[in-house]
Amino acid sequence: MRVEIWSDITCPWCYVGKARFEKALAAFPYRDQVQVVHRSFELDPGRAKDDVQPVILMLTRKYGMSEAQAEAGEDNLGAQAAAEGLPYRTRGRDHGSTFDMHRLLHFARERGRQVELLDLLYKANFAEERSVFDDDERLVQLAGAAGLDTDAVREVLADPQAYADAVRADEREAAQFGANGVPFFVLDRKYGVSGAQPAEVFTRALTRAWDERPPLALVDGDAEACGPDGCAVPQK
Amino acid sequence: MRVEIWSDITCPWCYVGKARFEKALAAFPYRDQVQVVHRSFELDPGRAKDDVQPVILMLTRKYGMSEAQAEAGEDNLGAQAAAEGLPYRTRGRDHGSTFDMHRLLHFARERGRQVELLDLLYKANFAEERSVFDDDERLVQLAGAAGLDTDAVREVLADPQAYADAVRADEREAAQFGANGVPFFVLDRKYGVSGAQPAEVFTRALTRAWDERPPLALVDGDAEACGPDGCAVPQK
């Protein structure tokens, strides 16, 4: 079974929702047969790479919040994160473009290191002082810690076209699925879970998708095929 | 929409079925939004790399056919291939292990060259004189023609563990889907098409899977999420 998770590194509910999903997955009896794939979704796709702002300032400018409202929002998100055991700096974080991080996550998927890199990017963004934005060497360091070859990572970062299509294809697909926000979970392309639902909802979704998994609905029975006993034309 | 096709390079019905599927896909109005993924399925998984036999001899030994029966079977397959415009050598072909080819196909998928490599492997196996078995340089040549870096291809071939897990994971998944033979097509993990069905069946399956695609069934409505308008807790 495949679970695809659309999310953004700068999305606090994605960070929290991932932990809730993982709690459900850890208790799911068939967890070894569940493949999790990260999909790209930029919350702020138009932002230039060098346009980095403090989160609180961005919230007041982009959404017209007062500073007190923005800080209260961050405090609430910090409490939600803490409830999942996640570190979260409610003050002093930056906001910026995540396009390069998504490109790297696609590269990491090819190398079997996507899970590791995503965890490190979330932790760096939400819990560590050094900004992850407009700082290629920071991304190289994190990707290296995720087990990726740092020279190859530098090559990906230096070529803005590398994996750019993969990021955009994910974003188009999210739109086709009707996802307006993230996190957005898709189980075997059949069930969707929108938002940072409680772990019980993920458990229900995993169970439902699993139970309905086999058998596939076969369109038109069998036809000519090859198997362990040779290549044959079945008698219909 | 995603179509996964389990097949083996030595499987004549896979070669024919792929052409029939592609005929349907070429006429499918939403073909640009269909992603095709090759999945591994070895018809003869126990065969050692250096155990290469003429196809006709393999058919007589493995399935107890007479030589005349084996030749008649190949003639029939050749006629089916010809009907799809595919070249097919009915005499003089070899049979052997395809494990390394499947490993390379996974590597090629990472590099965006899977379609190209699969086409060349089929053509080489079914239509060209030089054997594709137990001949790494032949595979390097074909992979290079598919646009892959030949040094990297040699590294994959030299390391028997490279992409081996990916091949086996595909094979486990085929078993979970109930596929006993190939080709086996899975559309969005919802509909299956077994065997080299006529193009009309693929058209029907594509249409049905497409029509039922959006919307996903959402499990439990919306929850906390971040979108273009910020991060919010929806009112249920």
Side-chain angles (χ1 to χ4, degrees):
Chain A
M1 187 160 73
R2 177 196 298 259
V3 180
E4 295 161 284
I5 309 178
W6 274 262
S7 56
D8 200 359
I9 314 303
T10 53
C11 161
W13 288 121
C14 300
Y15 181 51
V16 170
K18 181 171 178 284
R20 293 179 181 167
F21 168 75
E22 284 171 354
K23 190 189 288 182
L25 184 61
F28 186 61
Y30 309 103
R31 60 186 170 276
D32 293 345
Q33 291 173 71
V34 177
Q35 184 196 2
V36 179
V37 180
H38 163 80
R39 298 280 181 204
S40 301
F41 189 108
E42 294 165 278
L43 285 171
D44 198 356
R47 187 166 291 264
K49 183 170 178 170
D50 62 358
D51 185 2
V52 180
Q53 283 183 329
V55 165
I56 301 289
L57 183 67
M58 178 276 292
L59 291 171
T60 60
R61 290 210 181 147
K62 190 168 175 193
Y63 304 122
M65 294 181 185
S66 70
E67 200 172 305
Q69 283 173 324
E71 290 185 349
E74 280 295 284
D75 289 342
N76 173 41
L77 287 164
Q80 298 276 351
E84 302 301 330
L86 298 170
Y88 191 103
R89 297 175 72 235
T90 56
R91 299 292 182 278
R93 293 196 302 109
D94 275 345
H95 175 80
S97 168
T98 55
F99 191 63
D100 282 355
M101 297 180 224
H102 287 291
R103 294 198 297 114
L104 280 184
L105 283 163
H106 279 276
F107 169 69
R109 184 176 171 212
E110 284 188 1
R111 304 295 164 107
R113 296 282 168 184
Q114 192 181 54
V115 171
E116 291 80 357
L117 181 59
L118 184 59
D119 281 346
L120 289 170
L121 288 172
Y122 272 131
K123 186 156 172 279
N125 179 56
F126 286 113
E128 293 172 13
E129 190 166 353
R130 180 170 167 187
S131 174
V132 291
F133 302 104
D134 198 21
D135 182 350
D136 281 0
E137 277 311 304
R138 174 66 163 145
L139 296 184
V140 168
Q141 180 197 67
L142 292 165
L148 291 164
D149 177 75
T150 51
D151 287 340
V153 169
R154 282 197 181 86
E155 277 180 37
V156 172
L157 288 172
D159 173 9
Q161 295 311 310
Y163 301 95
D165 285 348
V167 174
R168 294 192 192 105
D170 279 357
E171 294 178 335
R172 273 197 306 275
E173 204 159 43
Q176 287 163 9
F177 277 130
N180 298 313
V182 282
F184 194 82
F185 302 74
V186 174
L187 292 80
D188 272 352
R189 306 240 147 181
K190 185 168 184 184
Y191 286 108
V193 177
S194 174
Q197 301 272 5
E200 306 83 76
V201 174
F202 291 114
T203 298
R204 199 150 61 234
L206 285 166
T207 305
R208 195 176 299 175
W210 182 266
D211 286 348
E212 296 184 14
R213 192 168 171 273
L216 292 173
L218 273 194
V219 176
D220 253 47
D222 287 324
E224 298 86 347
C226 301
D229 300 323
C231 299
V233 180
Q235 308 304 314
K236 289 206 189 191
Chain B
M1 187 160 72
R2 176 196 299 261
V3 180
E4 295 160 283
I5 309 178
W6 274 262
S7 56
D8 200 358
I9 314 304
T10 53
C11 161
W13 288 121
C14 300
Y15 181 52
V16 170
K18 180 171 179 285
R20 293 179 182 169
F21 169 77
E22 284 170 353
K23 190 189 287 182
L25 184 62
F28 186 62
Y30 309 104
R31 60 186 171 276
D32 293 344
Q33 290 173 71
V34 176
Q35 183 195 2
V36 178
V37 180
H38 162 80
R39 298 280 181 204
S40 300
F41 190 108
E42 293 165 277
L43 285 171
D44 198 356
R47 187 166 291 264
K49 184 169 175 169
D50 62 359
D51 185 2
V52 180
Q53 284 183 329
V55 164
I56 301 290
L57 183 67
M58 180 277 293
L59 290 172
T60 60
R61 290 211 181 149
K62 191 169 174 191
Y63 304 121
M65 294 181 185
S66 70
E67 201 172 305
Q69 283 173 323
E71 290 184 349
E74 282 294 285
D75 288 342
N76 174 40
L77 287 163
Q80 298 277 349
E84 301 301 331
L86 299 170
Y88 191 104
R89 297 175 70 234
T90 56
R91 298 292 183 278
R93 292 195 303 110
D94 275 345
H95 176 80
S97 169
T98 55
F99 192 64
D100 282 355
M101 296 180 224
H102 286 293
R103 295 198 298 114
L104 280 184
L105 283 163
H106 279 275
F107 169 71
R109 184 176 171 212
E110 284 188 2
R111 304 296 164 103
R113 295 283 168 185
Q114 192 182 55
V115 171
E116 291 81 356
L117 181 59
L118 184 59
D119 280 345
L120 288 171
L121 288 172
Y122 272 131
K123 185 155 171 281
N125 179 56
F126 287 112
E128 294 172 13
E129 188 166 355
R130 181 170 167 186
S131 173
V132 291
F133 302 104
D134 198 23
D135 182 351
D136 281 2
E137 278 311 304
R138 173 68 162 145
L139 296 184
V140 168
Q141 180 198 66
L142 291 165
L148 291 162
D149 177 75
T150 51
D151 288 340
V153 168
R154 283 198 180 86
E155 277 180 39
V156 172
L157 288 172
D159 174 6
Q161 295 310 310
Y163 302 94
D165 286 348
V167 174
R168 293 193 192 104
D170 279 357
E171 294 178 334
R172 274 197 306 277
E173 205 158 44
Q176 288 164 9
F177 277 129
N180 299 313
V182 282
F184 193 82
F185 302 74
V186 175
L187 292 80
D188 272 352
R189 305 239 147 184
K190 186 169 183 183
Y191 286 107
V193 176
S194 175
Q197 301 272 5
E200 305 84 76
V201 174
F202 291 114
T203 299
R204 199 149 62 232
L206 285 166
T207 305
R208 195 177 300 175
W210 182 265
D211 286 347
E212 297 184 14
R213 192 169 173 273
L216 290 174
L218 272 194
V219 176
D220 252 48
D222 287 326
E224 299 86 345
C226 302
D229 299 324
C231 299
V233 180
Q235 310 302 314
K236 287 206 190 190

